[in-house]
Amino acid sequence: MTQENQNGDADKEVFNSIGFITRMLHDALAELGLDRKLESAVHSIPDARQRLEYISRISTESAEKVIARVEVGKAEQASLAMRAAEAEVALKTDPVAAVATGGVL
C-alpha cells in the first residue's frame, strides 16, 4: 500500500469517527430534550446581541452626559476659586472697605 492510500484511509477513518461522535451527541441531546433548548438558545442570541448593543449605547450616552456636566462643573469651580481669591485679597487689603462695598458678603 502506498503512502497516499494510507493517508486517504486514515482521513476516511477520522471523518467516520467524527460523524459517529456527532450522531451520538445529537441522539443524546435529543433523548435529554436538550436539542430544543439548544435551538432556542441559538435563536435568542440575536436578541441578546440587540440588548448588549442597547446597553452599550445607553452607557455611552450616559458617559457623555457625565463628562459634559463635569466640564461645566469645572468651569464653575474655576470661577468660584477666582472670586474667592479676589475676596481674600480684598479682605487682606482693607476688610472694612471690602465688606462696605459689598464685594465680600
Side-chain angles (χ1 to χ4, degrees):
M1 193 177 256
T2 66
Q3 183 70 22
E4 288 180 11
N5 286 343
Q6 288 177 349
N7 287 342
D9 290 342
D11 289 346
K12 187 175 181 180
E13 187 176 329
V14 168
F15 286 123
N16 286 337
S17 295
I18 291 172
F20 178 75
I21 292 170
T22 303
R23 173 53 54 193
M24 286 178 48
L25 176 62
H26 178 268
D27 292 344
L29 289 173
E31 285 179 29
L32 295 171
L34 297 177
D35 56 340
R36 288 181 291 275
K37 289 182 181 179
L38 184 60
E39 186 176 327
S40 70
V42 167
H43 290 301
S44 70
I45 289 174
D47 184 50
R49 185 172 293 137
Q50 289 172 346
R51 290 180 187 188
L52 288 173
E53 287 172 358
Y54 171 76
I55 290 168
S56 175
R57 184 174 50 82
I58 294 299
S59 298
T60 300
E61 289 173 4
S62 297
E64 289 172 355
K65 287 179 185 177
V66 168
I67 290 170
R69 290 186 178 154
V70 165
E71 288 174 353
V72 168
K74 287 173 79 174
E76 289 178 9
Q77 189 274 334
S79 174
L80 289 172
M82 186 178 72
R83 288 177 47 201
E86 291 170 354
E88 180 183 19
V89 169
L91 285 171
K92 286 182 179 178
T93 305
D94 188 358
V96 175
V99 173
T101 61
V104 176
L105 299 175

